Amino acid sequence: MKVRHGVMWVLFLALVVAVQIHFPEPVEPEVLAYRDVPDETFWTLRRHAYRFAEARAREGFAFLEGTPASASFQILCKGVPVLHVERQPPLLLIRVALGAERRAPAIYPLQATLQWSLVPLSYLEQVLSDVQEPTLQDRLVLTLAGDVPEDERCGVRK
């Protein structure tokens, strides 16, 4: 009986290690939906994000403007998107990459700054607007994936 339990634990640990090796972080972001905002408010949000990235460029952050046809922008951490803001009337969407707390923890104060004046949709309104949340499987894979290597993180002072 004890041998079976030992074998089961070894197999479980091997599975965890295999998942960490073979599965990268999920790319499905956490999406927060808000009521659309006037142009002036959107440009204020953009300006905050731009200043954030500009002030932290040495830490690996970069600002990326969306296409001219779309009202959007992104904050990248060493080339990986960690925050994406997009205006899709009647919604304003803020996407935060799963695992951003490991890759770029400084993104959360920026997110809080961007959100303070916005009116969030209720859970039901968000579902009816077809704004998807990450699945439980995405969150589980992220948990098993482990930490982000230090050279891929932003905001880490050397």
Side-chain angles (χ1 to χ4, degrees):
M1 188 73 163
K2 289 183 181 183
V3 173
R4 266 192 217 161
H5 287 290
V7 170
M8 288 175 55
W9 275 108
V10 169
L11 289 174
F12 174 74
L13 291 174
L15 176 66
V16 169
V17 170
V19 165
Q20 289 180 342
I21 292 170
H22 293 293
F23 291 110
E25 285 184 27
V27 294
E28 190 69 29
E30 179 110 28
V31 181
L32 305 167
Y34 300 90
R35 300 196 191 297
D36 195 17
V37 295
D39 289 341
E40 181 180 313
T41 303
F42 180 78
W43 292 112
T44 300
L45 299 176
R46 183 194 170 285
R47 191 169 39 254
H48 281 299
Y50 179 79
R51 288 180 181 156
F52 170 88
E54 186 178 52
R56 291 168 180 79
R58 287 187 175 170
E59 297 172 18
F61 287 101
F63 180 87
L64 180 64
E65 187 72 54
T67 62
S70 73
S72 68
F73 58 85
Q74 292 184 45
I75 300 291
L76 307 175
C77 167
K78 297 189 178 175
V80 177
V82 289
L83 179 85
H84 181 232
V85 177
E86 183 175 13
R87 230 174 137 189
Q88 292 180 352
L91 302 174
L92 176 78
L93 302 175
I94 297 179
R95 293 178 179 93
V96 179
L98 285 180
E101 70 275 0
R102 296 177 187 165
R103 181 176 299 278
I107 207 70
Y108 287 102
L110 172 64
Q111 178 188 359
T113 300
L114 298 179
Q115 290 175 302
W116 77 268
S117 65
L118 303 176
V119 178
L121 296 183
S122 69
Y123 179 77
L124 181 58
E125 289 173 313
Q126 193 161 317
V127 169
L128 293 174
S129 298
D130 199 30
V131 176
Q132 299 295 320
E133 292 261 337
T135 64
L136 180 60
Q137 178 183 353
D138 289 334
R139 293 179 191 277
L140 180 61
V141 168
L142 178 67
T143 301
L144 294 175
D147 206 6
V148 175
E150 193 166 320
D151 62 336
E152 294 178 20
R153 296 162 84 197
C154 292
V156 178
R157 304 199 192 237
K158 296 179 181 179

